[in-house]
C-alpha cells in the first residue's frame, strides 16, 4: 500500500529569530504561505515582517507564549494554518505538542510523537540505540531522583560524571561534576535549568569521556522506509556544553569511519521508523571509537554547514517528508564538496565567564561573502528572554584552511556596536594552533581559556579612541588650534585612560598617553565609517557615538567608549564591598539559598539567576553571615543590582 500524501498550504513557524527567518525563506520559495508568532513587544521583529501573516501570543513570559502548546495551537487556528514547523528549541522536541497538532488536524513538520518521546528520554533512547547495535556511553538512569540516590549512582559510575537533563538538549540542564564535593550543587542547578527549559527535571548520569570530540551524524528518514545520512559535523568547540564552532566534514573522521558511523545511524533510523530530520550525537575517542550520546529529533542550529557541503536545503527535505513525499535522494546521490565552518555569534562576555549580555544594538553590519543567518539589525534589542546566539556566520571553501581564513576575515569585517559579543573569542579560537591543526576536542575552550580571552594588546587603540572623541564629527564645530595640551579622560572598555591632546588643526591632534605621543587625525567620514590616520597609517573604524557615549569597531575588535573629561574626578572612596552580592546579568531569580542569619562560606552558591535560558549561580569570594536578603524567587533583576548583603568578620558591608 502506498504512503499517504498529506497536503498543506499554510505553515505557522512556532519560533522566532534567525531560525524562523530561515524556515520562512524556504517555505515561501516552495510556494507555501507562512505565519509568524510573536510576543507583544516583538511585532516589528524581522521574522514577523517576513511572514505573510502574524499572530501575537498573548502572554508575558516564554512559558505562556512560545512554550505554551495551547497558545501555539490557538494561533494556528486563528491564522488558518494547516501545518506547524517548530524550528529548534521551545516545543520542537515536545511529544505532547506533536500529539496536539495531530489532534487538531495540523501537520507537525517533524517526526512522530512516539519517536520524539522515545528519543527525548535519553535513558530510553540509549536502550533503543543499544538494541539497534549502536555503541553507547556507560551511564545510569534511575527512578530514584533524590540527591542521595543520584550521588550514589555517580559514585558507582566513577568521576568525572556528566549530569544531563533526561529531556531536551542544547546544553541546558547539563553540568560536569569532577568530584563528589561539587556534585550536589551542580545537580541542583541542572534540575532547575531542566525544569525551566523542558518542564521536566528528570536527570540521567553518564561517564564523562576525556579528550573526546563531539561528532554528530545528520540523518533523514521518510514514511516510505528510506533512510540516508548526510555525513558528520564536528562540534567540539563548546562552552557550557553548548556549541560555538561547528564544521563539516570533521578533520578527525576518515571516509571509512564516516561510512561506519553513517551506517549505524541509518540502521537506528530504520529501527525506530523515524521520519524527518534528526541528528545522532556521538563522542569520538582518540582511537576512533565512538559512543552514542543522544538523538536530536529536530533541525540542528548547525545545519547550514551540511547544506554548504551537500548543496541540499534541509528545510525543503523536511517539508517534502512531512507532506508524505519520498525524499527523492538516495545515499548514492549524496556528494560532499569542500569544507564549511560555522561560528555562532553570541551576546556574551567570554572574559567574564561567558555571561550573557542584553541591550540595544546601535550598529549591525554583517560581512559579504559569508552565509549569515540572523534576525538581528540596527536598532534591535537583545533581552533576557532571548537566546544569547544572535547570528550564525558560515564559510565554505574548497578546503578547510580556505574556509577557516574566510570565516576569520568575515568575523573581523563584522560590526556590532552597543552590545558585547564573543566575536574576538571566535577569531582567537579559529586562529589557535590546536584548531588550525584540526586537533580541538571538547576540552579545547577550557584548556585554552586564558589565551582565547586575552585582552587587546594593541596600544594604538587608545589613540584611535582619542581621535574618535576629540576630532569633530559631522555637525560639530571645528576645534580651535590650541598651543597647549588639553586634558582628556575617558573609559576604554571600562579601563580609565588619562591623556592630553594638542589640537593642531581641524583634522589633526597630537595625543599623549603614558608619555607616548602620536599624531592622529580623521581623514574622511562616511556614515558610521571613519577613516583614521595614526602616525601616518590609515585604517577604517565603524563608530556610533552620542554625547561622548558609544563605541567603535576597529581592526576586528569592538570597543566601548565613554568620555569622562568634563566629569569631576572620583576619589578612591567606598565601592562595592566584598560582602555585597550583585547580579552579574539581567534576569529572573529562580532560587535563593540563604536567609538572614545563615553562615556562609566563600564560594557558596547563594542566589541563582536565570538569563537567556541558562542558570547562573551567584557566590561571594568571602565568607560570613547573611545580614540581608534583598530579592525573592521570581524577582526580575538588573545587571549590578544588589541581591544579598553579608556581614563579614570586619563588620557589615555597605
Amino acid at each position: 500500500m502506498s504512503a499517504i500524501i498529506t497536503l498543506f498550504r499554510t505553515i505557522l513557524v512556532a519560533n522566532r529569530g534567525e531560525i524562523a527567518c530561515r524556515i520562512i525563506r524556504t517555505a515561501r520559495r516552495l510556494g507555501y504561505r507562512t505565519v509568524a508568532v510573536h510576543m507583544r513587544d516583538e511585532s516589528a521583529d524581522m521574522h514577523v515582517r517576513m511572514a505573510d501573516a502574524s499572530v501575537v501570543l498573548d502572554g508575558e513570559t516564554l512559558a505562556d507564549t512560545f512554550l505554551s502548546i495551547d497558545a501555539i495551537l490557538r494561533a494556528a487556528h486563528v491564522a488558518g494554518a494547516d501545518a506547524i514547523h517548530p524550528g529548534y528549541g521551545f516545543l520542537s522536541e515536545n511529544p505532547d505538542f506533536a500529539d496536539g497538532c495531530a489532534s487538531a488536524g495540523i501537520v507537525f513538520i517533524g517526526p512522530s510523537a512516539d519517536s520524539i518521546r522515545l528519543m527525548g528520554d535519553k535513558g530510553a533512547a540509549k536502550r533503543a540505540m543499544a538494541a539497534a547495535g549502536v555503541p553507547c556511553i556507560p551511564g545510569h538512569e534511575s527512578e530514584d531522583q533524590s540527591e542521595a540516590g543520584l550521588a550514589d549512582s555517580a559514585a558507582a559510575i566513577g568521576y568525572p560524571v556528566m549530569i544531563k537533563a533526561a529531556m531536551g538538549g542544547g546544553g541546558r540542564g547539563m553540568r560536569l561534576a569532577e568530584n563528589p564535593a561539587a556534585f550536589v550543587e551542580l545537580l541542583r542547578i541542572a534540575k532547575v535549568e531542566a525544569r525551566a527549559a523542558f518542564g521536566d527535571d528528570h536527570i540521567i548520569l553518564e561517564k564523562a569521556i576525556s579528550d573526546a570530540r563531539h561528532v554528530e551524524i545528520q540523518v533523514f528518514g521518510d514514511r516510505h522506509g528510506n533512510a540516508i545520512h548526510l555525513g558528520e559535523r564536528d562540534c567540539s568547540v563548546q562552552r557550557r556544553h553548548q556549541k560555538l564552532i561547528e564544521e563539516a566534514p570533521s578533520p578527525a573522521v576518515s571516509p571509512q569511519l564516516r561510512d561506519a558511523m553513517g551506517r549505524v545511524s541509518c540502521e537506528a533510523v530504520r529501527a525506530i521508523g523515524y521520519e524527518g530530520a534528526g541528528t545522532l550525537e556521538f563522542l569520538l575517542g582518540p582511537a576512533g571509537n565512538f559512543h552514542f550520546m543522544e538523538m536530536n529529533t529536530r533541525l540542528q542550529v548547525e545545519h547550514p554547514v551540511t547544506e554548504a557541503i551537500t548543496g541540499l536545503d534541509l528545510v525543503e527535505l523536511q517539508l517534502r517528508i512531512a507532506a508524505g513525499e519520498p525524499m527523492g535522494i538516495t545515499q548514492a546521490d549524496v556528494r560532499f564538496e569542500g569544507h564549511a565552518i560555522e561560528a555562532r555569534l553570541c551576546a556574551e562576555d567570554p572574559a567574564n565567564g561567558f555571561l550573557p549580555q542584553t541591550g540595544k544594538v546601535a550598529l549591525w553590519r554583517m560581512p559579504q561573502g559569508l552565509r549569515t543567518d540572523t534576525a538581528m539589525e540596527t536598532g534591535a534589542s537583545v533581552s533576557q528572554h532571548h537566546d544569547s546566539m544572535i547570528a550564525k556566520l558560515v564559510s565554505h571553501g574548497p578546503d578547510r584552511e580556505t574556509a577557516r581564513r574566510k570565516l576569520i576575515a568575515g568575523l573581523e569585517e563584522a560590526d556590532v556596536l552597543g552590545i558585547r559579543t564573543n566575536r574576538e573569542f571566535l577569531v582567537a579560537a579559529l586562529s589557535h594552533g590546536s584548531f588550525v591543526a584540526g586537533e580541538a576536542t571538547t576540552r579545547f575552550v577550557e584548556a585554552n581559556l586564558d589565551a582565547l580571552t586575552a585582552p587587546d594588546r594593541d596600544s594604538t587603540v587608545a589613540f584611535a579612541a582619542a581621535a574618535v572623541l576629540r576630532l569633530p564629527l559631522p555637525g560639530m564645530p571645528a576645534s580651535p588650534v590650541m598651543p597647549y595640551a588639553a586634558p582628556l579622560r575617558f573609559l576604554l572598555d571600562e579601563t580609565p585612560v588619562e591623556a592630553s591632546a594638542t589640537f593642531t588643526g581641524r583634522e589633526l591632534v597630537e595625543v599623549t598617553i603614558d608619555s607616548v605621543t602620536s599624531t592622529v587625525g580623521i581623514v574622511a567620514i562616511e556614515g558610521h565609517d571613519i577613516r583614521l590616520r595614526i602616525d601616518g597609517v590609515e585604517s577604517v573604524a565603524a563608530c556610533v557615538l552620542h554625547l561622548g557615549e558609544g563605541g567603535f569597531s576597529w581592526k576586528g575588535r569592538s570597543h566601548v567608549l565613554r568620555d569622562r573629561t568634563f566629569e569631576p574626578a572620583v576619589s578612591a572612596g567606598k565601592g562595592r564591598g566584598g560582602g555585597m552580592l550583585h547580579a552579574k546579568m539581567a534576569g529572573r531569580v529562580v532560587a535563593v539559598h540563604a536567609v538572614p542569619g545563615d553562615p556562609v562560606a566563600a564560594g557558596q552558591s547563594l542566589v541563582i539567576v536565570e538569563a537567556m535560558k541558562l542558570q547562573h549561580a551567584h557566590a561571594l569570594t568571602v565568607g560570613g553571615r547573611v545580614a540581608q536578603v534583598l530579592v525573592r524567587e521570581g524577582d526580575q533583576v538588573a545587571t549590578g543590582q544588589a541581591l544579598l548583603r553579608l556581614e563579614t568578620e570586619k563588620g557589615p558591608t555597605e
Side-chain angles (χ1 to χ4, degrees), residues 87-89 92-93 111 169-170 274 277-279 296-301 318:
Y88 42 68
S92 62
E93 294 181 286
Y274 189 86
T279 306
N296 290 309
T297 54
R298 54 171 167 81
L299 197 66
Q300 293 279 86
V301 174
Q318 284 186 296

Side-chain angles (χ1 to χ4, degrees), residues 41-88:
D41 60 350
E42 298 172 343
S43 59
D45 283 9
M46 186 182 294
H47 77 287
V48 178
R49 303 197 311 268
M50 287 180 60
D52 297 294
S54 64
V55 178
V56 64
L57 300 173
D58 192 18
E60 299 296 331
T61 67
L62 293 179
D64 52 17
T65 54
F66 285 96
L67 287 170
S68 170
I69 294 173
D70 290 341
I72 298 296
L73 292 179
R74 281 196 302 270
H77 175 73
V78 168
D82 47 5
I84 292 179
H85 195 307
Y88 42 68

Side-chain angles (χ1 to χ4, degrees), residues 66 80 117 176 231 253 255 272 291 315 336 368 381-382 439 490 511 603 652:
F66 285 96
R117 192 168 282 114
L176 174 64
V253 174
I272 63 174
H291 302 274
V315 173
F336 304 114
Q368 301 295 316
S381 294
V382 180
E439 298 172 350
F490 54 90
V511 178

Side-chain angles (χ1 to χ4, degrees), residues 168-325:
R172 297 177 179 90
M174 186 183 300
R175 290 294 187 277
L176 174 64
E178 298 279 3
N179 51 63
F183 180 81
V184 172
E185 176 64 23
L186 293 171
L187 175 65
R188 290 173 179 170
I189 293 174
K191 276 184 166 286
V192 171
E193 199 168 277
R195 178 162 292 280
F198 314 119
D200 190 318
D201 66 359
H202 197 89
I203 292 294
I204 69 168
L205 305 175
E206 290 180 345
K207 178 67 176 176
I209 299 178
S210 301
D211 296 321
R213 290 177 182 264
H214 186 147
V215 176
E216 60 191 25
I217 301 291
Q218 175 73 63
V219 294
F220 276 88
D222 64 24
R223 68 185 64 173
H224 301 269
N226 301 311
I228 63 169
H229 74 85
L230 301 181
E232 82 284 355
R233 297 184 288 256
D234 196 311
C235 311
S236 300
V237 180
Q238 306 175 2
R239 55 92 176 92
R240 293 196 303 261
H241 310 294
Q242 289 187 305
K243 304 159 187 172
L244 287 175
I245 297 174
E246 302 101 341
E247 59 182 311
S250 167
V253 174
S254 66
Q256 295 77 19
L257 181 57
R258 180 176 304 116
D259 289 343
M261 297 179 74
R263 184 172 59 255
V264 299
S265 298
C266 289
E267 289 171 357
V269 167
R270 296 187 188 96
I272 63 174
Y274 189 86
E275 294 181 17
T279 306
L280 279 80
E281 305 206 10
F282 298 91
L283 281 182
L284 177 63
N289 52 315
F290 57 94
H291 302 274
F292 172 80
M293 289 190 293
E294 62 189 37
M295 182 179 186
N296 290 309
T297 54
R298 54 171 167 81
L299 197 66
Q300 293 279 86
V301 174
E302 57 272 20
H303 75 273
V305 294
T306 298
E307 292 184 325
I309 66 169
T310 62
L312 299 171
D313 184 326
L314 271 57
V315 173
E316 179 177 347
L317 281 175
Q318 284 186 296
L319 299 182
R320 295 193 184 283
I321 291 169
E325 301 176 20

